[in-house]
Amino acid sequence: MKQKIIIGCASVFLLTSCNNKEKMLDALADYNNGMMEKGYHFGDKLQLPSTVTENAESISISFDGKQTSDLTINPQFFTLGNNEVIFTIKTKDGEVLNQDATVNVFTKNPEQNLGYKVVADYPHGPDHFIEGFLVEGNTVYESVGGEGVSQLIKYPLGEAVPAVVRKQPADIFSEGCTIVGNKIYQLTYRNKIGFVYDKNTLEKQSEFPLPNVIGEGWGLTYDGKNLIATDGTKNLYFLDVENPSKVIKTVAVAGNKMTYDQLNELEYHNGFIYANVWHHPIVLKINPETGEAVGKFDFTKLTEENSKGESEHVLNGIAFKGENMLITGKNWPKMYEVDIR
């Protein structure tokens, strides 16, 4: 009889323990799901449900090889945007529970809706599947993508007929490019290499492997110190201009209510990074120190006029002519000069 009582008590203990475990995980899941859309700001503290905290001996969060038991949204641990984390809870019963979650960190200030006025338009090659777009003085440089048709070209603004053409090997898919002094740096899509050209002749001078962390080459710009690259995620990668295979730092981009991933063609101007978002008719104005999207241009009207219903003929080209912005897109027949307000 005593043995049956002991077994019965053990069964009750196990059942209670399992129920507590399920309640804790369910409560944590409900909390995380409820916070995904609302998000957090830097400095916020995670207010976990009492069902979790009252039954936990310790709680920690793991993310990207780091671990912390501080439940404050700290920029030394979290980045802007989505953070895929693991909650690890050691219960007072000695069990260890793990649960995956997404912690979204947004900016405190909403992005400003920035105005503009079209002041001029210029012809653009409608067969140019543009990936990189530069204007220096009166000269346009373009990195044109596509399987077997990739090339780097230059031509006078207003003409759109290439004056100099550097065709790529058939296995190269050209991507973003930028000017550094007398050189042009160019990324490739999935070839995991970049090229350096003479700016005047477009003769290739060298090539370099992309950093391992960059899965694909998308956009590229230069801030006067570092190259800045995108790979279709939320990240801006700052690269050593003398050794572009080396990542100096990574900055994630988000706004007040959303993460901005699929960052594409870039331009640096007057202390800010301007970025296209692939398949969206917008250009973001980004603080390069924090990754905060401080403003947004809506080019829906110009995109609709030039895409002609083709889903891949997206806005994808940002440059500056003085203080005016030049924009164009993939296979657009025009580029536009806009006075930004």
Side-chain angles (χ1 to χ4, degrees), residues 17-18 40 98 114 131 179 192 197 219 244 294 300 325 329:
S17 176
C18 288
Y40 300 90
N98 293 304
L114 302 175
E131 299 289 0
I179 294 173
K192 297 292 289 183
Y197 302 89
V294 298
T300 298
M325 183 188 291

Side-chain angles (χ1 to χ4, degrees), residues 1-22:
M1 178 65 71
K2 185 182 291 186
Q3 185 178 17
K4 289 182 179 179
I5 292 173
I6 292 172
I7 292 172
C9 289
S11 299
V12 170
F13 174 79
L14 288 172
L15 182 60
T16 302
S17 176
C18 288
N19 285 339
N20 283 341
K21 173 182 174 180
E22 289 178 3

Side-chain angles (χ1 to χ4, degrees), residues 60-68 76-79 83-86:
S60 63
I61 303 174
S62 302
F63 164 59
D64 198 23
K66 300 171 287 187
Q67 187 175 44
T68 181
Q76 292 183 341
F77 183 78
F78 294 94
T79 69
N83 297 265
E84 304 301 327
V85 306
I86 300 173

Side-chain angles (χ1 to χ4, degrees), residues 2 17 52 63 75 87 103 117 119 125 149 156 221 231 273 276 278:
K2 185 182 291 186
S17 176
V52 176
F63 164 59
F87 283 89
V103 174
K117 179 182 178 181
V119 295
V149 295
T221 192
D231 65 347
I273 295 170
N276 286 129
W278 189 47

Side-chain angles (χ1 to χ4, degrees), residues 37-85:
E37 184 174 352
K38 180 180 179 182
Y40 300 90
H41 302 125
F42 287 127
D44 288 352
K45 190 173 182 64
L46 276 70
Q47 303 294 331
L48 300 183
S50 59
T51 306
V52 176
T53 56
E54 290 175 1
N55 291 284
E57 183 179 305
S58 65
I59 302 170
S60 63
I61 303 174
S62 302
F63 164 59
D64 198 23
K66 300 171 287 187
Q67 187 175 44
T68 181
S69 56
D70 182 1
L71 300 183
T72 303
I73 304 299
N74 188 326
Q76 292 183 341
F77 183 78
F78 294 94
T79 69
L80 278 177
N82 55 309
N83 297 265
E84 304 301 327
V85 306

Side-chain angles (χ1 to χ4, degrees), residues 36-38 106-107 109-111 254-260:
M36 276 186 66
E37 184 174 352
K38 180 180 179 182
F106 300 136
T107 63
N109 299 315
E111 304 91 306
N256 182 244
K257 293 183 178 179
M258 66 180 296
T259 301
Y260 288 106

Side-chain angles (χ1 to χ4, degrees), residues 261-281:
D261 60 359
Q262 296 190 320
L263 298 174
N264 204 354
E265 216 270 331
L266 302 175
E267 184 73 14
Y268 181 87
H269 183 71
N270 286 349
F272 291 94
I273 295 170
Y274 294 82
N276 286 129
V277 180
W278 189 47
H279 276 288
H280 292 273

